[in-house]
Amino acid sequence: MEFDLENPLTNFDDFHVSSSVPTFIPSFFLVESDHMPTETYIKTLEASDLATSIRREAICSISQFSCKFSPFLSYLAVNYLDRFLSSQGLPQPETWVLRLVAISCVSLAAKMNKLEFELTHFQGDGGYMFEAQTIKRMEYVILGALKWRMRSITPFSFISFFISLFKLKDPPLMDVLKARAVEIILEAQNDIKLLEFKPSIIAATALVCASHELFPSQFPSFRKAISYCPYVNKENMLNCYNSIIDMGWRSNKAEDMVSQQFSSSERDMLKRRKTNDYGKNHTVHLSQVQHC
């Protein structure tokens, strides 16, 4: 089966949504915790600057090894990394083991995406050069630690589902909202503050942030639609929102993204929509996120 971060396990038909208030039993919500690092690992990172620096070093290696590929490949590799380190413990910093784990996570992510590649694509100029058999053996270690759960459930698995609750009828609006939410998710992965949140919470929060930026007057209805989802804990979503704010999230990035992805006529339409929105509802407070 072809792997897709948005639909990693089965067909989206597994989501059953009623015609009125969403009541459903989507399989992704039930198993997403199996694709997260442990609470002990997260607490270790929060309590130790050394542990955080080791993770940061490994992520830098992943970024180096995967720089010629899609950012989604890097995202998947970091997911493997966190889950593996969560299971096996953190190695010493600046060692060949850390780089071997990083390159093996990238190699596994590339294989999951059925990308054609040579291991020389990943080796870079970082000093250690690993033989194919060495990487393969580490891949099997990682596979065992992750219990062969390589079809990771990530925030991308929930984006389309949550957007469907918004009842948007204009494809350009849906595209820009989704694109901005995806950008926020990609930017947020490296911050340890977000490791504690379930992928669905990160997806919901990213869409809340994106709708706040792009369509302020529709923000309350978007927020309300997500709040009706029984699998979304509103307190956790507020905490996740605060964490993203603390990361230095800035709305001007949304303007840059719109300029890059849409034609001039589409940009004018979006600007008019946003201008009208700000005229109606210029300020969105954290309390609006909290009191859904």
Side-chain angles (χ1 to χ4, degrees):
M1 186 187 299
E2 193 74 18
F3 180 71
D4 181 358
L5 270 179
E6 289 193 33
N7 190 14
L9 300 182
T10 56
N11 190 279
F12 196 71
D13 290 341
D14 281 351
F15 288 87
H16 305 292
V17 184
S18 70
S19 58
S20 55
V21 176
T23 57
F24 41 82
I25 311 177
S27 58
F28 291 173
F29 285 102
L30 301 179
V31 296
E32 61 177 320
S33 295
D34 294 336
H35 300 259
M36 295 174 58
T38 64
E39 184 177 350
T40 300
Y41 172 73
I42 297 169
K43 288 183 177 179
T44 298
L45 292 176
E46 292 174 342
S48 170
D49 291 339
L50 176 61
T52 302
S53 69
I54 292 172
R55 178 180 184 265
R56 187 184 305 115
E57 181 184 342
I59 291 177
C60 287
S61 295
I62 286 175
S63 298
Q64 176 190 350
F65 296 144
S66 61
C67 62
K68 296 180 181 179
F69 298 92
S70 162
F72 295 103
L73 186 146
S74 176
Y75 193 97
L76 182 60
V78 174
N79 175 269
Y80 293 162
L81 172 75
D82 280 324
R83 291 164 58 198
F84 175 73
L85 297 180
S86 174
S87 170
Q88 302 297 305
L90 291 156
Q92 292 299 311
E94 298 180 2
T95 65
W96 62 270
V97 175
L98 196 60
R99 289 183 64 82
L100 179 57
V101 170
I103 194 172
S104 300
C105 287
V106 172
S107 177
L108 286 168
K111 290 176 180 177
M112 286 300 297
N113 284 277
K114 298 188 182 300
L115 295 177
E116 295 185 5
F117 66 94
E118 299 290 339
L119 288 174
T120 53
H121 294 164
F122 299 152
Q123 296 285 359
D125 301 320
Y128 296 105
M129 298 290 289
F130 300 106
E131 295 181 354
Q133 281 300 111
T134 302
I135 295 174
K136 188 174 182 179
R137 285 195 294 269
M138 178 54 75
E139 287 178 355
Y140 276 110
V141 173
I142 295 172
L143 287 167
L146 271 55
K147 301 179 181 178
W148 291 77
R149 291 171 176 157
M150 309 308 288
R151 292 180 171 272
S152 297
I153 295 177
T154 68
F156 305 111
S157 308
F158 300 92
I159 289 290
S160 294
F161 174 76
F162 284 132
I163 288 180
S164 72
L165 303 179
F166 294 168
K167 309 300 182 184
L168 288 171
K169 297 180 180 179
D170 197 332
L173 299 185
M174 289 174 31
D175 290 343
V176 73
L177 183 63
K178 179 177 180 179
R180 180 55 183 145
V182 165
E183 187 179 56
I184 291 171
I185 291 168
L186 289 171
E187 292 174 352
Q189 185 187 33
N190 295 351
D191 197 300
I192 63 172
K193 292 180 181 179
L194 267 67
L195 287 175
E196 67 177 281
F197 300 108
K198 291 182 178 181
S200 59
I201 292 295
I202 296 173
T205 307
L207 282 168
V208 166
C209 292
S211 64
H212 173 201
E213 291 180 354
L214 296 167
F215 316 116
S217 73
Q218 294 174 278
F219 170 80
S221 63
F222 291 164
R223 180 206 64 223
K224 186 176 182 180
I226 288 180
S227 73
Y228 276 138
C229 175
Y231 289 91
V232 173
N233 182 293
K234 288 182 286 186
E235 181 178 354
N236 287 343
M237 188 169 71
L238 174 64
N239 291 335
C240 186
Y241 183 93
N242 288 334
S243 295
I244 291 178
I245 294 295
D246 290 342
M247 287 166 48
W249 160 61
R250 288 180 173 82
S251 62
N252 61 335
K253 292 184 179 180
E255 299 289 351
D256 296 337
M257 183 198 64
V258 169
S259 298
Q260 293 170 6
Q261 295 197 10
F262 292 90
S263 66
S264 58
S265 59
E266 289 173 328
R267 290 199 299 269
D268 290 341
M269 181 267 293
L270 288 167
K271 284 181 180 179
R272 287 195 299 271
R273 178 72 61 88
K274 189 171 182 180
T275 299
N276 291 338
D277 283 350
Y278 272 114
K280 297 173 185 176
N281 184 16
H282 184 73
T283 304
V284 180
H285 297 285
L286 287 179
S287 60
Q288 292 180 278
V289 180
Q290 184 174 16
H291 299 297
C292 299

